[in-house]
């Protein structure tokens, strides 16, 4: 005769646990609801703008919506890519210095300064870009165009004000640098101490230890920090609108006065005077930016998950 073990009794859940779990579920659900509501609003309001022509909306001039948004999308991605190209190596280097090279007191002070820079308003960066950076880099632009103008990116004529797409990219790089540095610093500090000590015990120098133990462990975090910085660079409005002297069109040259505009800056500059279908056209450009940002974050998540799976397999 066999007997079955009695089923374990369910633990009684306290009222506080029920309230907390319900609140957490509601908060998580509201994020999805908000995202869906924003997407629905953008799609519904964008349909008239995407089907409009120059006769319906003055901002389109003689073209259609896709001719209008293509240079803006190019300028947005181009400026953000240039900013990321400058910000990623610098943020990783600063984070490594704070976490592994600087003395304790200096690292704490630098960490505080980095966190403080993340709170500076974008308007301040824009004023700095106009008043300080653009006049300072204009002579360097002239020298590069004169001596390296054979390279397509450095081709002239040079801008006389220094307010170019490259200047805007430098401002964006400075803006995204604090948050990327803070994330990389925290990731570097989470490297298992035994891995670092083992590398040093085998005779590795400090840089070899960082290259063999720290950077492989933090690779996924560096990618996440870069994509987070890219997301902010794609959506930045005021600093780019203030610094960039845009003329429209698709142009890869870095130092000329003929610069492509970005979607956020174009919306900020055009929206106050927009009316009728013009508003729908601008909302439709916002939908394009929303899709681009969503794809960037999705790709970053895929890269991070693949690296996690690869590390787990090894």
């Amino acid at each position: 005769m066999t007997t079955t073990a009695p089923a374990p009794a369910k633990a009684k859940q306290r009222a506080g646990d029920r309230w907390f779990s319900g609140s957490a579920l509601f908060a998580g659900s509201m994020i999805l609801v908000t995202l869906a509501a924003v997407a629905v609003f953008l799609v519904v309001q964008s349909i008239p703008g995407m089907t409009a022509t120059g006769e319906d909306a003055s901002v389109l001039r003689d073209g259609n919506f896709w001719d209008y948004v293509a240079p803006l999308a190019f300028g947005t991605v181009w400026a953000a890519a240039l900013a990321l190209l400058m910000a990623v190596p610098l943020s990783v280097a600063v984070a490594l210095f704070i976490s592994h090279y600087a003395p304790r007191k200096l690292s704490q002070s630098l960490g505080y300064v980095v966190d403080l820079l993340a709170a500076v308003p974008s308007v301040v960066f824009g004023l700095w870009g106009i008043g300080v950076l653009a006049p300072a880099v204009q002579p360097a632009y002239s020298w590069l165009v004169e001596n390296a103008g054979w390279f397509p990116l450095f081709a002239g004529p040079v801008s006389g004000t220094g307010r170019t797409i490259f200047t805007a990219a430098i401002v964006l790089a400075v803006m995204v640098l604090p948050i990327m540095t803070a994330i990389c610093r925290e990731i570097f500090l989470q490297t298992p101490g035994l891995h670092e000590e083992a590398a040093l015990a085998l005779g590795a120098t400090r840089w070899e230890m960082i290259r063999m133990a720290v950077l492989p462990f933090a690779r996924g975090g560096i990618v996440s920090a870069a994509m987070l910085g890219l997301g902010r660079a794609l959506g930045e409005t005021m600093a780019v609108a203030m610094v960039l002297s845009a003329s429209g069109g698709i142009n890869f040259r870095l130092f000329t006065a003929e610069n492509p505009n970005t979607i956020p800056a174009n919306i900020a500059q055009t929206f106050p005077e927009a009316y009728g279908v013009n508003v729908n056209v601008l909302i439709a450009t916002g939908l394009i930016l929303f899709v681009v940002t969503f794809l960037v974050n999705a790709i970053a998540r895929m890269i991070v998950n693949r690296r996690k799976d690869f590390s787990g397999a090894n």
Side-chain angles (χ1 to χ4, degrees):
M1 182 176 180
T2 59
T3 57
T4 57
K10 274 189 176 182
K12 187 177 180 180
Q13 196 174 24
R14 298 180 180 179
D17 294 336
R18 289 196 300 269
W19 276 102
F20 179 77
S21 60
S23 301
L25 178 62
F26 174 77
S29 302
M30 285 304 299
I31 295 175
L32 299 177
V33 171
T34 303
L35 183 63
V38 170
V40 170
F41 166 79
L42 290 175
V43 171
V44 171
Q45 295 293 324
S46 298
I47 293 175
M50 288 183 174
T51 57
T53 61
E55 299 178 356
D56 304 320
S58 59
V59 295
L60 298 180
R61 298 179 179 88
D62 297 328
N64 56 28
F65 170 77
W66 300 107
D67 294 333
Y68 175 73
V69 76
L72 298 175
F74 165 79
T76 304
V77 175
W78 183 229
L82 290 172
L84 203 66
L85 191 64
M86 292 181 279
V88 169
L90 188 57
S91 63
V92 171
V94 173
L96 282 175
F97 177 76
I98 293 175
S99 60
H100 286 81
Y101 284 94
R104 182 178 298 273
K105 291 184 178 180
L106 180 59
S107 65
Q108 292 176 350
S109 301
L110 287 177
Y112 175 76
V113 172
V114 167
D115 295 337
L116 191 62
L117 282 175
V120 176
S122 59
V123 176
V124 176
F125 285 107
L127 292 173
W128 170 74
I130 292 177
V132 178
L133 181 63
V137 297
Q138 199 281 331
Y141 293 169
S142 300
W143 186 87
L144 284 171
V145 170
E146 182 179 351
N147 295 276
W150 53 267
F151 188 62
L153 295 180
F154 300 160
V158 68
S159 170
T161 62
R163 296 172 59 184
T164 69
I165 190 70
F166 192 72
T167 305
I170 295 175
V171 174
L172 287 177
V174 174
M175 293 180 65
V176 303
L177 186 66
I179 187 169
M180 292 174 58
T181 302
I183 295 175
C184 292
R185 178 193 64 200
E186 296 302 321
I187 295 296
F188 293 155
L189 290 175
Q190 292 178 11
T191 305
L194 291 177
H195 293 184
E196 298 181 1
E197 294 172 3
L200 293 173
L202 291 173
T205 63
R206 182 176 296 185
W207 165 242
E208 290 173 338
M209 178 271 293
I210 290 174
R211 185 167 53 87
M212 292 187 297
V214 178
L215 292 180
F217 175 83
R219 197 170 296 161
I222 294 174
V223 173
S224 299
M227 292 301 104
L228 188 62
L230 178 60
R232 183 179 179 186
L234 288 172
E236 183 52 45
T237 303
M238 287 308 301
V240 176
M242 295 171 66
V243 173
L244 183 61
S245 178
S247 60
I250 297 176
N251 184 8
F252 283 94
R253 292 177 295 174
L254 300 179
F255 307 138
T256 69
E258 300 175 359
N259 300 290
N261 205 353
T262 65
I263 292 177
N266 180 71
I267 293 175
Q269 294 166 344
T270 311
F271 199 86
E273 300 177 358
Y275 59 92
V277 183
N278 294 297
V279 176
N280 299 104
V281 171
L282 294 177
I283 293 176
T285 61
L287 176 63
I288 300 299
L289 180 63
F290 179 84
V291 172
V292 171
T293 307
F294 184 83
L295 289 176
V296 166
N297 286 296
I299 293 172
R301 178 58 55 187
M302 290 174 55
I303 294 174
V304 172
N305 289 338
R306 281 186 178 181
R307 294 199 177 279
K308 285 182 178 178
D309 295 340
F310 179 77
S311 300
N314 289 341

